[in-house]
Each structure stands twice: as structure tokens, then as C-alpha cells.
Amino acid sequence: QVQLVESGGGLVQAGGSLRLSCEASGGIFSISDMGWYRQAPGKQRELVATITRAGSTNYADSVKGRFTISRDSDKNTMYLQMNSLKPEDTAVYYCNALNTFRVVVRWGQGTQVTVSS
């Protein structure tokens, strides 16, 4: 079974940067697309960015130009580089993995990102 472990969250001032990592293990050959989502207190979980196995990316309008999603197949790890962070980026960030049928097979445990003004 696929397991996902996120890391890299923390507290940062507005305008700062963080890089999140999502390491996959177990059944990694079944993984196709991967993505980052976030959930702020009192709000629904929302899409941040996705990346296909081939490297095609998609971003939410709110993060375009500030965040970059990437994946390193050799390390079985996906990243989210977050620059020019804003207080409204504060949320728990989750990664997920989809199989070749585009079914979500696993969510990570989440990592807290807090941006102070």
C-alpha cells in the first residue's frame, strides 16, 4: 500500500518561503498523478497544485506565480516550493496520490503552515 509522509511545514513571516515535501513509499509504481491540497480552519479542503507522472502541472489561481510543484522520481518525493507567502496561505497542507485510474489511493497526514503578518 502507498504511504505518504509530509514534512517542511512551519511558521514563517509574510513574504517568506517554505518548501514542503511528500515522500511516497510502498506501491509507488501504481502512482500516477500527485497533488497538494490545503484546509484552513472552518473552510473546506481546496486544491493547491497537481502534477502528473509526466510532469504536467496545474495550480489554483490563488497560488499561481508564487508556488511551484515538482516531483523527483528517483527519490519518490513531491515538493511544493512556496514563495511570497501570505497570511491567507495559513492552513494544513496535505499531499495525495492517484493511481492510473485517477482514483485517490492515499492522503498524507498533513503539515501545518502558518504565515504571520
Side-chain angles (χ1 to χ4, degrees):
Q1 276 190 331
V2 175
Q3 300 294 325
L4 301 175
V5 178
E6 296 127 335
S7 60
L11 173 64
V12 64
Q13 288 188 333
S17 298
L18 283 174
R19 189 176 81 156
L20 305 183
S21 299
C22 174
E23 183 175 2
S25 61
I28 58 175
F29 294 106
S30 68
I31 296 175
S32 178
D33 299 358
M34 298 184 74
W36 287 99
Y37 288 72
R38 66 187 182 187
Q39 187 166 17
K43 294 187 177 182
Q44 290 189 333
R45 191 173 298 188
E46 63 176 7
L47 169 73
V48 176
T50 61
I51 185 167
T52 68
R53 186 194 292 266
S56 296
T57 59
N58 178 58
Y59 296 92
D61 288 343
S62 60
V63 306
K64 281 181 181 177
R66 299 188 298 122
F67 290 10
T68 302
I69 189 172
S70 62
R71 63 196 285 183
D72 184 332
S73 298
D74 290 339
K75 296 182 179 180
N76 300 320
T77 301
M78 175 179 64
Y79 303 98
L80 185 68
Q81 178 67 43
M82 304 186 294
N83 298 329
S84 302
L85 282 161
K86 305 175 181 180
E88 50 264 44
D89 294 318
T90 295
V92 177
Y93 283 70
Y94 299 90
C95 64
N96 75 358
L98 285 70
N99 62 19
T100 53
F101 300 100
R102 303 188 62 78
V103 174
V104 176
V105 294
R106 183 66 65 184
W107 287 92
Q109 82 284 1
T111 185
Q112 177 70 47
V113 171
T114 303
V115 184
S116 63
S117 57

